[in-house]
Amino acid sequence: MRAKRVEPGPGQESVWDYPRPPRVEARPERVVVRLGGEVVADTTSAYRVLETSHPPVWYLPREAFVDGALSAGEGRSMCEFKGTARYLDVRGGGTTASSAGWTYPSPWPGYEMLADHVALYPSRFDSCEVDGEVVEAQDGDFYGGWITSRVVGPFKGAPGTLGW
């Protein structure tokens, strides 16, 4: 059973208005990621992937990451829309966040712009920020959504939401 949609306020959007299959949009907001007390990524050239019932997943260009921050991690997964993802370890400030990011080396048609971009699980970092706002991680840590004050739910990911 689907949860009741929260009505968005001024300047907000409901994740229940996002499409399926997901939409990708280029965004100009400044995205900063910190790990081990250091900035490991900083960009104003990210993409947001918007999918029904999910907070946006932000994809940062590889060049936004400091040298040495990214390395191959363990694991792969399959997205029915984007293709096969490969996981990445992220290092910063003497800390390693194992399989904390993922990338689509050869994304399927319609998602080609995500090649050479990296998505991150925000719960595995000191902070992930969008225009200075520290994001909250989507429950469950499977989807990797970034919750800001701009989006309202309810959000898929928590126990009991699998059937939404």
Side-chain angles (χ1 to χ4, degrees):
M1 184 170 165
R2 190 168 117 175
K4 186 174 180 190
R5 174 185 184 271
V6 173
E7 190 64 31
Q12 292 182 317
E13 42 191 50
S14 170
V15 298
W16 291 96
D17 296 333
Y18 293 164
R20 186 168 172 86
R23 179 176 73 238
V24 179
E25 62 181 29
R27 300 301 305 178
E29 291 94 334
R30 184 171 184 203
V31 177
V32 178
V33 179
R34 290 182 174 79
L35 180 64
E38 296 181 357
V39 172
V40 294
D42 190 343
T43 187
T44 55
S45 298
Y47 287 110
R48 281 192 325 165
V49 174
L50 309 176
E51 182 175 359
T52 306
S53 76
H54 300 281
V57 176
W58 289 76
Y59 285 77
L60 288 60
R62 280 186 179 265
E63 62 265 16
F65 290 84
V66 298
D67 289 341
L70 300 175
S71 61
E74 290 188 25
R76 290 181 183 195
S77 62
M78 174 66 71
C79 171
E80 64 184 305
F81 303 110
K82 298 181 284 294
T84 302
R86 294 199 176 129
Y87 288 85
L88 299 168
D89 294 343
V90 183
R91 290 183 180 83
T95 301
T96 299
S98 299
S99 298
W102 69 95
T103 187
Y104 291 94
S106 300
W108 289 349
Y111 298 93
E112 297 91 349
M113 69 286 289
L114 297 179
D116 297 319
H117 284 70
V118 176
L120 303 169
Y121 291 108
S123 65
R124 302 197 188 162
F125 294 86
D126 296 349
S127 66
C128 296
E129 302 170 11
V130 176
D131 273 350
E133 180 181 353
V134 175
V135 306
E136 181 183 330
Q138 179 178 10
D139 279 343
D141 215 18
F142 176 76
Y143 299 106
W146 294 30
I147 301 171
T148 64
S149 60
R150 181 179 175 185
V151 296
V152 295
F155 308 111
K156 188 171 184 175
T161 64
L162 184 61
W164 288 3

